[in-house]
Short mmCIF file of all heavy atoms in Angstrom, two decimals:
data_model
loop_
_atom_site.label_atom_id
_atom_site.label_comp_id
_atom_site.label_asym_id
_atom_site.label_seq_id
_atom_site.Cartn_x
_atom_site.Cartn_y
_atom_site.Cartn_z
N MET L 691 15.20 8.87 -13.56
CA MET L 691 15.45 7.44 -13.64
C MET L 691 14.40 6.64 -12.85
O MET L 691 13.93 5.62 -13.31
CB MET L 691 16.86 7.17 -13.12
CG MET L 691 17.26 5.73 -13.17
SD MET L 691 17.36 5.20 -14.89
CE MET L 691 17.70 3.50 -14.68
N MET L 692 14.07 7.15 -11.67
CA MET L 692 13.08 6.45 -10.85
C MET L 692 11.70 6.48 -11.50
O MET L 692 10.90 5.57 -11.32
CB MET L 692 13.02 7.05 -9.44
CG MET L 692 14.30 6.86 -8.65
SD MET L 692 14.81 5.14 -8.51
CE MET L 692 13.68 4.55 -7.31
N PHE L 693 11.43 7.56 -12.28
CA PHE L 693 10.17 7.63 -12.99
C PHE L 693 10.05 6.49 -13.99
O PHE L 693 8.98 5.87 -14.12
CB PHE L 693 10.03 8.98 -13.69
CG PHE L 693 8.82 9.06 -14.58
CD1 PHE L 693 7.57 9.22 -14.03
CD2 PHE L 693 8.93 8.97 -15.95
CE1 PHE L 693 6.45 9.28 -14.83
CE2 PHE L 693 7.82 9.03 -16.76
CZ PHE L 693 6.57 9.19 -16.20
N ILE L 694 11.12 6.20 -14.69
CA ILE L 694 11.11 5.12 -15.70
C ILE L 694 10.88 3.78 -15.01
O ILE L 694 10.08 2.96 -15.49
CB ILE L 694 12.45 5.10 -16.48
CG1 ILE L 694 12.69 6.44 -17.17
CG2 ILE L 694 12.50 3.95 -17.46
CD1 ILE L 694 11.74 6.76 -18.28
N ILE L 695 11.54 3.56 -13.89
CA ILE L 695 11.37 2.30 -13.16
C ILE L 695 9.94 2.17 -12.67
O ILE L 695 9.33 1.10 -12.79
CB ILE L 695 12.37 2.22 -12.00
CG1 ILE L 695 13.79 2.11 -12.55
CG2 ILE L 695 12.06 1.04 -11.08
CD1 ILE L 695 14.88 2.24 -11.51
N SER L 696 9.38 3.26 -12.14
CA SER L 696 8.00 3.22 -11.66
C SER L 696 7.03 2.97 -12.81
O SER L 696 6.06 2.21 -12.66
CB SER L 696 7.65 4.53 -10.97
OG SER L 696 8.39 4.69 -9.81
N LEU L 697 7.28 3.60 -13.94
CA LEU L 697 6.41 3.41 -15.10
C LEU L 697 6.47 1.97 -15.60
O LEU L 697 5.43 1.37 -15.91
CB LEU L 697 6.80 4.38 -16.21
CG LEU L 697 5.93 4.37 -17.46
CD1 LEU L 697 4.52 4.82 -17.11
CD2 LEU L 697 6.52 5.26 -18.52
N ILE L 698 7.66 1.41 -15.65
CA ILE L 698 7.80 0.01 -16.08
C ILE L 698 7.09 -0.93 -15.11
O ILE L 698 6.40 -1.87 -15.53
CB ILE L 698 9.29 -0.35 -16.24
CG1 ILE L 698 9.88 0.38 -17.44
CG2 ILE L 698 9.49 -1.86 -16.38
CD1 ILE L 698 11.38 0.29 -17.56
N LEU L 699 7.25 -0.69 -13.81
CA LEU L 699 6.56 -1.51 -12.81
C LEU L 699 5.05 -1.40 -12.95
O LEU L 699 4.33 -2.39 -12.85
CB LEU L 699 6.98 -1.11 -11.40
CG LEU L 699 8.26 -1.71 -10.87
CD1 LEU L 699 8.63 -1.05 -9.54
CD2 LEU L 699 8.13 -3.20 -10.69
N PHE L 700 4.55 -0.18 -13.16
CA PHE L 700 3.11 0.03 -13.29
C PHE L 700 2.55 -0.68 -14.51
O PHE L 700 1.56 -1.42 -14.41
CB PHE L 700 2.81 1.52 -13.35
CG PHE L 700 1.34 1.84 -13.32
CD1 PHE L 700 0.63 1.76 -12.14
CD2 PHE L 700 0.68 2.18 -14.48
CE1 PHE L 700 -0.73 2.04 -12.12
CE2 PHE L 700 -0.67 2.46 -14.47
CZ PHE L 700 -1.38 2.39 -13.28
N ILE L 701 3.17 -0.49 -15.64
CA ILE L 701 2.69 -1.13 -16.87
C ILE L 701 2.84 -2.65 -16.78
O ILE L 701 1.97 -3.40 -17.21
CB ILE L 701 3.41 -0.56 -18.10
CG1 ILE L 701 3.00 0.90 -18.28
CG2 ILE L 701 3.12 -1.37 -19.35
CD1 ILE L 701 3.77 1.65 -19.33
N GLY L 702 3.95 -3.09 -16.19
CA GLY L 702 4.14 -4.53 -15.99
C GLY L 702 3.09 -5.13 -15.07
O GLY L 702 2.61 -6.25 -15.29
N GLY L 703 2.72 -4.40 -14.04
CA GLY L 703 1.67 -4.87 -13.13
C GLY L 703 0.33 -4.99 -13.82
O GLY L 703 -0.41 -5.96 -13.62
N LEU L 704 0.00 -3.99 -14.65
CA LEU L 704 -1.25 -4.07 -15.40
C LEU L 704 -1.24 -5.24 -16.39
O LEU L 704 -2.25 -5.92 -16.59
CB LEU L 704 -1.50 -2.76 -16.14
CG LEU L 704 -1.79 -1.54 -15.27
CD1 LEU L 704 -1.99 -0.31 -16.15
CD2 LEU L 704 -2.97 -1.76 -14.38
N PHE L 705 -0.08 -5.48 -16.98
CA PHE L 705 0.07 -6.62 -17.88
C PHE L 705 -0.15 -7.93 -17.12
O PHE L 705 -0.83 -8.84 -17.62
CB PHE L 705 1.45 -6.60 -18.52
CG PHE L 705 1.73 -7.78 -19.40
CD1 PHE L 705 1.14 -7.88 -20.64
CD2 PHE L 705 2.58 -8.79 -18.98
CE1 PHE L 705 1.39 -8.97 -21.46
CE2 PHE L 705 2.83 -9.88 -19.78
CZ PHE L 705 2.24 -9.98 -21.03
N LEU L 706 0.40 -8.01 -15.91
CA LEU L 706 0.22 -9.23 -15.11
C LEU L 706 -1.24 -9.44 -14.72
O LEU L 706 -1.70 -10.57 -14.63
CB LEU L 706 1.10 -9.18 -13.86
CG LEU L 706 2.59 -9.39 -14.10
CD1 LEU L 706 3.36 -9.15 -12.82
CD2 LEU L 706 2.86 -10.78 -14.64
N PHE L 707 -1.98 -8.35 -14.49
CA PHE L 707 -3.41 -8.48 -14.22
C PHE L 707 -4.11 -9.20 -15.37
O PHE L 707 -4.91 -10.10 -15.17
CB PHE L 707 -4.08 -7.11 -14.05
CG PHE L 707 -3.78 -6.41 -12.76
CD1 PHE L 707 -3.89 -5.05 -12.67
CD2 PHE L 707 -3.43 -7.10 -11.62
CE1 PHE L 707 -3.63 -4.37 -11.50
CE2 PHE L 707 -3.17 -6.45 -10.43
CZ PHE L 707 -3.27 -5.09 -10.37
N GLY L 708 -3.80 -8.78 -16.59
CA GLY L 708 -4.43 -9.38 -17.76
C GLY L 708 -3.98 -10.81 -18.00
O GLY L 708 -4.78 -11.67 -18.36
N VAL L 709 -2.70 -11.06 -17.80
CA VAL L 709 -2.16 -12.40 -18.03
C VAL L 709 -2.71 -13.40 -17.02
O VAL L 709 -2.88 -14.58 -17.33
CB VAL L 709 -0.61 -12.36 -17.99
CG1 VAL L 709 0.00 -13.74 -17.96
CG2 VAL L 709 -0.07 -11.59 -19.17
N ALA L 710 -3.04 -12.92 -15.83
CA ALA L 710 -3.53 -13.82 -14.77
C ALA L 710 -4.80 -14.55 -15.20
O ALA L 710 -5.04 -15.68 -14.75
CB ALA L 710 -3.78 -13.04 -13.49
N PHE L 711 -5.60 -13.94 -16.06
CA PHE L 711 -6.84 -14.59 -16.49
C PHE L 711 -6.62 -15.53 -17.67
O PHE L 711 -7.51 -16.29 -18.02
CB PHE L 711 -7.88 -13.53 -16.86
CG PHE L 711 -8.33 -12.74 -15.67
CD1 PHE L 711 -7.87 -11.46 -15.46
CD2 PHE L 711 -9.20 -13.29 -14.74
CE1 PHE L 711 -8.27 -10.72 -14.36
CE2 PHE L 711 -9.61 -12.58 -13.63
CZ PHE L 711 -9.14 -11.29 -13.44
N MET L 712 -5.43 -15.49 -18.28
CA MET L 712 -5.16 -16.33 -19.44
C MET L 712 -4.30 -17.55 -19.11
O MET L 712 -4.31 -18.51 -19.87
CB MET L 712 -4.47 -15.51 -20.54
CG MET L 712 -5.38 -14.48 -21.15
SD MET L 712 -4.64 -13.62 -22.53
CE MET L 712 -3.60 -12.45 -21.69
N VAL L 713 -3.54 -17.51 -18.01
CA VAL L 713 -2.69 -18.65 -17.68
C VAL L 713 -3.54 -19.79 -17.14
O VAL L 713 -4.63 -19.57 -16.60
CB VAL L 713 -1.58 -18.26 -16.67
CG1 VAL L 713 -0.63 -17.27 -17.28
CG2 VAL L 713 -2.17 -17.74 -15.38
N THR L 714 -3.04 -21.00 -17.28
CA THR L 714 -3.82 -22.15 -16.84
C THR L 714 -3.54 -22.55 -15.40
O THR L 714 -4.34 -23.26 -14.80
CB THR L 714 -3.52 -23.36 -17.76
OG1 THR L 714 -2.12 -23.63 -17.73
CG2 THR L 714 -3.96 -23.07 -19.18
N SER L 715 -2.42 -22.10 -14.87
CA SER L 715 -2.12 -22.39 -13.47
C SER L 715 -1.47 -21.18 -12.83
O SER L 715 -0.95 -20.30 -13.52
CB SER L 715 -1.19 -23.61 -13.36
OG SER L 715 0.01 -23.37 -14.04
N PHE L 716 -1.50 -21.13 -11.52
CA PHE L 716 -0.91 -20.03 -10.74
C PHE L 716 -1.56 -18.68 -11.04
O PHE L 716 -0.89 -17.65 -11.03
CB PHE L 716 0.60 -19.95 -10.95
CG PHE L 716 1.34 -21.18 -10.55
CD1 PHE L 716 1.92 -21.98 -11.52
CD2 PHE L 716 1.44 -21.56 -9.22
CE1 PHE L 716 2.60 -23.13 -11.16
CE2 PHE L 716 2.12 -22.68 -8.85
CZ PHE L 716 2.70 -23.48 -9.83
N GLN L 717 -2.88 -18.67 -11.28
CA GLN L 717 -3.56 -17.42 -11.56
C GLN L 717 -3.45 -16.46 -10.38
O GLN L 717 -3.20 -15.25 -10.57
CB GLN L 717 -5.05 -17.65 -11.86
CG GLN L 717 -5.32 -18.46 -13.07
CD GLN L 717 -5.50 -19.95 -12.76
OE1 GLN L 717 -5.26 -20.40 -11.65
NE2 GLN L 717 -5.91 -20.70 -13.75
N GLY L 718 -3.64 -16.97 -9.19
CA GLY L 718 -3.58 -16.13 -8.00
C GLY L 718 -2.20 -15.54 -7.78
O GLY L 718 -2.06 -14.38 -7.38
N LEU L 719 -1.19 -16.34 -8.04
CA LEU L 719 0.18 -15.87 -7.86
C LEU L 719 0.53 -14.77 -8.86
O LEU L 719 1.14 -13.76 -8.50
CB LEU L 719 1.15 -17.05 -8.00
CG LEU L 719 2.61 -16.76 -7.72
CD1 LEU L 719 2.80 -16.35 -6.27
CD2 LEU L 719 3.45 -17.98 -8.03
N VAL L 720 0.13 -14.94 -10.10
CA VAL L 720 0.39 -13.93 -11.13
C VAL L 720 -0.38 -12.65 -10.83
O VAL L 720 0.16 -11.54 -10.94
CB VAL L 720 0.04 -14.47 -12.54
CG1 VAL L 720 0.17 -13.40 -13.59
CG2 VAL L 720 0.91 -15.67 -12.88
N PHE L 721 -1.63 -12.78 -10.40
CA PHE L 721 -2.44 -11.61 -10.07
C PHE L 721 -1.85 -10.87 -8.87
O PHE L 721 -1.77 -9.64 -8.86
CB PHE L 721 -3.88 -12.03 -9.78
CG PHE L 721 -4.83 -10.89 -9.71
CD1 PHE L 721 -5.34 -10.31 -10.86
CD2 PHE L 721 -5.24 -10.38 -8.48
CE1 PHE L 721 -6.22 -9.26 -10.79
CE2 PHE L 721 -6.12 -9.33 -8.40
CZ PHE L 721 -6.62 -8.76 -9.56
N THR L 722 -1.41 -11.62 -7.86
CA THR L 722 -0.78 -11.02 -6.68
C THR L 722 0.52 -10.31 -7.06
O THR L 722 0.81 -9.23 -6.54
CB THR L 722 -0.51 -12.10 -5.62
OG1 THR L 722 -1.74 -12.74 -5.29
CG2 THR L 722 0.09 -11.50 -4.37
N ALA L 723 1.29 -10.89 -7.96
CA ALA L 723 2.51 -10.23 -8.42
C ALA L 723 2.16 -8.91 -9.12
O ALA L 723 2.90 -7.92 -8.98
CB ALA L 723 3.28 -11.15 -9.37
N GLY L 724 1.07 -8.88 -9.85
CA GLY L 724 0.62 -7.65 -10.49
C GLY L 724 0.24 -6.59 -9.47
O GLY L 724 0.58 -5.41 -9.62
N ILE L 725 -0.46 -7.00 -8.42
CA ILE L 725 -0.83 -6.06 -7.36
C ILE L 725 0.41 -5.49 -6.68
O ILE L 725 0.52 -4.29 -6.44
CB ILE L 725 -1.75 -6.74 -6.33
CG1 ILE L 725 -3.11 -7.02 -6.95
CG2 ILE L 725 -1.89 -5.88 -5.08
CD1 ILE L 725 -4.04 -7.81 -6.07
N ILE L 726 1.37 -6.36 -6.39
CA ILE L 726 2.60 -5.91 -5.73
C ILE L 726 3.39 -4.96 -6.64
O ILE L 726 3.92 -3.95 -6.18
CB ILE L 726 3.45 -7.13 -5.31
CG1 ILE L 726 2.74 -7.86 -4.17
CG2 ILE L 726 4.85 -6.71 -4.89
CD1 ILE L 726 3.35 -9.19 -3.81
N ALA L 727 3.44 -5.26 -7.92
CA ALA L 727 4.16 -4.39 -8.86
C ALA L 727 3.52 -3.01 -8.94
O ALA L 727 4.22 -1.99 -8.93
CB ALA L 727 4.21 -5.04 -10.25
N VAL L 728 2.20 -2.95 -8.99
CA VAL L 728 1.51 -1.66 -9.05
C VAL L 728 1.70 -0.90 -7.74
O VAL L 728 1.93 0.32 -7.74
CB VAL L 728 0.02 -1.85 -9.40
CG1 VAL L 728 -0.75 -0.56 -9.20
CG2 VAL L 728 -0.14 -2.34 -10.82
N CYS L 729 1.64 -1.60 -6.62
CA CYS L 729 1.86 -0.94 -5.32
C CYS L 729 3.27 -0.37 -5.22
O CYS L 729 3.46 0.74 -4.73
CB CYS L 729 1.60 -1.92 -4.18
SG CYS L 729 -0.13 -2.32 -3.95
N LEU L 730 4.25 -1.13 -5.66
CA LEU L 730 5.62 -0.62 -5.67
C LEU L 730 5.77 0.58 -6.60
O LEU L 730 6.48 1.54 -6.28
CB LEU L 730 6.60 -1.72 -6.08
CG LEU L 730 6.94 -2.75 -5.02
CD1 LEU L 730 7.80 -3.85 -5.62
CD2 LEU L 730 7.66 -2.10 -3.86
N ALA L 731 5.11 0.52 -7.74
CA ALA L 731 5.18 1.63 -8.69
C ALA L 731 4.60 2.90 -8.09
O ALA L 731 5.07 4.00 -8.37
CB ALA L 731 4.44 1.27 -9.98
N MET L 732 3.59 2.78 -7.25
CA MET L 732 3.02 3.95 -6.58
C MET L 732 3.84 4.38 -5.38
O MET L 732 3.91 5.57 -5.06
CB MET L 732 1.59 3.65 -6.13
CG MET L 732 0.64 3.40 -7.24
SD MET L 732 0.42 4.91 -8.18
CE MET L 732 -0.55 4.33 -9.51
N ALA L 733 4.46 3.43 -4.69
CA ALA L 733 5.20 3.74 -3.46
C ALA L 733 6.55 4.39 -3.73
O ALA L 733 6.99 5.24 -2.95
CB ALA L 733 5.38 2.47 -2.64
N ILE L 734 7.21 4.01 -4.80
CA ILE L 734 8.55 4.54 -5.08
C ILE L 734 8.55 6.07 -5.18
O ILE L 734 9.36 6.72 -4.51
CB ILE L 734 9.16 3.88 -6.33
CG1 ILE L 734 9.54 2.44 -6.01
CG2 ILE L 734 10.37 4.65 -6.83
CD1 ILE L 734 9.98 1.63 -7.22
N PRO L 735 7.68 6.69 -5.97
CA PRO L 735 7.71 8.16 -6.02
C PRO L 735 7.35 8.82 -4.68
O PRO L 735 7.87 9.87 -4.34
CB PRO L 735 6.67 8.52 -7.08
CG PRO L 735 6.50 7.30 -7.89
CD PRO L 735 6.76 6.15 -6.97
N MET L 736 6.45 8.19 -3.93
CA MET L 736 6.07 8.78 -2.64
C MET L 736 7.23 8.76 -1.66
O MET L 736 7.49 9.75 -0.98
CB MET L 736 4.87 8.03 -2.06
CG MET L 736 3.58 8.33 -2.75
SD MET L 736 2.20 7.57 -1.93
CE MET L 736 1.74 6.33 -3.11
N PHE L 737 7.93 7.64 -1.57
CA PHE L 737 9.07 7.55 -0.68
C PHE L 737 10.23 8.39 -1.19
O PHE L 737 10.96 9.00 -0.42
CB PHE L 737 9.51 6.11 -0.47
CG PHE L 737 8.59 5.33 0.41
CD1 PHE L 737 7.96 4.20 -0.05
CD2 PHE L 737 8.35 5.73 1.72
CE1 PHE L 737 7.11 3.48 0.76
CE2 PHE L 737 7.50 5.02 2.53
CZ PHE L 737 6.87 3.89 2.06
N ARG L 738 10.38 8.44 -2.49
CA ARG L 738 11.47 9.20 -3.09
C ARG L 738 11.31 10.70 -2.81
O ARG L 738 12.28 11.41 -2.61
CB ARG L 738 11.49 8.94 -4.60
CG ARG L 738 12.53 9.66 -5.36
CD ARG L 738 13.82 8.91 -5.35
NE ARG L 738 14.72 9.55 -6.29
CZ ARG L 738 16.01 9.55 -6.15
NH1 ARG L 738 16.54 8.90 -5.15
NH2 ARG L 738 16.78 10.14 -7.02
N SER L 739 10.08 11.18 -2.78
CA SER L 739 9.84 12.60 -2.54
C SER L 739 10.15 12.98 -1.09
O SER L 739 10.39 14.15 -0.80
CB SER L 739 8.41 12.98 -2.88
OG SER L 739 7.51 12.37 -1.98
N GLN L 740 10.15 12.03 -0.18
CA GLN L 740 10.41 12.31 1.23
C GLN L 740 11.88 12.15 1.61
O GLN L 740 12.27 12.55 2.70
CB GLN L 740 9.56 11.40 2.12
CG GLN L 740 8.08 11.68 1.99
CD GLN L 740 7.73 13.09 2.41
OE1 GLN L 740 8.20 13.60 3.40
NE2 GLN L 740 6.90 13.74 1.60
N TRP L 741 12.69 11.54 0.75
CA TRP L 741 14.11 11.39 1.06
C TRP L 741 14.78 12.75 1.09
O TRP L 741 14.58 13.58 0.21
CB TRP L 741 14.82 10.51 0.04
CG TRP L 741 14.43 9.08 0.11
CD1 TRP L 741 13.82 8.44 1.14
CD2 TRP L 741 14.62 8.10 -0.91
NE1 TRP L 741 13.61 7.13 0.82
CE2 TRP L 741 14.10 6.89 -0.43
CE3 TRP L 741 15.18 8.11 -2.17
CZ2 TRP L 741 14.12 5.72 -1.16
CZ3 TRP L 741 15.20 6.95 -2.90
CH2 TRP L 741 14.68 5.76 -2.40
N GLY L 742 15.56 13.00 2.09
CA GLY L 742 16.27 14.26 2.21
C GLY L 742 15.51 15.31 3.00
O GLY L 742 16.04 16.33 3.35
N LYS L 743 14.25 15.06 3.27
CA LYS L 743 13.47 15.99 4.09
C LYS L 743 13.49 15.49 5.53
O LYS L 743 13.19 14.34 5.79
CB LYS L 743 12.03 16.07 3.59
CG LYS L 743 11.90 16.67 2.22
CD LYS L 743 10.46 16.76 1.82
CE LYS L 743 10.30 17.34 0.43
NZ LYS L 743 8.90 17.39 0.01
N GLU L 744 13.81 16.37 6.41
CA GLU L 744 13.84 16.00 7.82
C GLU L 744 12.73 16.73 8.56
O GLU L 744 12.42 17.87 8.26
CB GLU L 744 15.19 16.37 8.43
CG GLU L 744 16.34 15.62 7.81
CD GLU L 744 17.66 16.02 8.44
OE1 GLU L 744 17.66 16.57 9.55
OE2 GLU L 744 18.69 15.76 7.82
N LYS L 745 12.15 16.05 9.53
CA LYS L 745 11.14 16.68 10.35
C LYS L 745 11.81 17.55 11.39
O LYS L 745 12.74 17.14 12.07
CB LYS L 745 10.28 15.63 11.04
CG LYS L 745 9.39 14.86 10.10
CD LYS L 745 8.50 13.93 10.87
CE LYS L 745 7.58 13.18 9.92
NZ LYS L 745 6.71 12.26 10.64
N ILE L 746 11.32 18.76 11.51
CA ILE L 746 11.85 19.68 12.52
C ILE L 746 10.74 19.90 13.54
O ILE L 746 9.65 20.35 13.20
CB ILE L 746 12.28 21.02 11.88
CG1 ILE L 746 13.35 20.77 10.84
CG2 ILE L 746 12.74 21.98 12.96
CD1 ILE L 746 13.72 22.00 10.05
N HIS L 747 11.02 19.53 14.77
CA HIS L 747 10.02 19.68 15.83
C HIS L 747 10.22 20.96 16.57
O HIS L 747 11.19 21.40 16.91
CB HIS L 747 10.07 18.51 16.80
CG HIS L 747 9.71 17.21 16.15
ND1 HIS L 747 8.41 16.88 15.85
CD2 HIS L 747 10.48 16.18 15.72
CE1 HIS L 747 8.39 15.68 15.29
NE2 HIS L 747 9.65 15.24 15.20
#
């Protein structure tokens, strides 16, 4: 399930990158939203893989 969410965020972020150059206003905001979406799409699997693992010293 998390893979689907990450994939949707990633593709949506790439879509926002492209749309940012076509909108007439708020280009920076749309582009920044795309960056945040792609970052979240990459971060979710990384954090998800660490859940349940405990450090043993």
Side-chain angles (χ1 to χ4, degrees):
M691 181 65 185
M692 295 304 284
F693 173 75
I694 302 293
I695 293 171
S696 294
L697 184 64
I698 290 170
L699 277 172
F700 186 77
I701 293 172
L704 293 179
F705 177 74
L706 287 173
F707 286 156
V709 169
F711 293 103
M712 292 185 281
V713 295
T714 57
S715 60
F716 300 111
Q717 297 94 351
L719 185 63
V720 174
F721 192 80
T722 303
I725 290 174
I726 291 171
V728 169
C729 288
L730 282 174
M732 295 294 173
I734 288 172
M736 286 186 249
F737 286 121
R738 179 86 170 150
S739 68
Q740 294 299 316
W741 290 342
K743 294 182 181 178
E744 297 180 19
K745 291 184 179 180
I746 300 173
H747 296 284

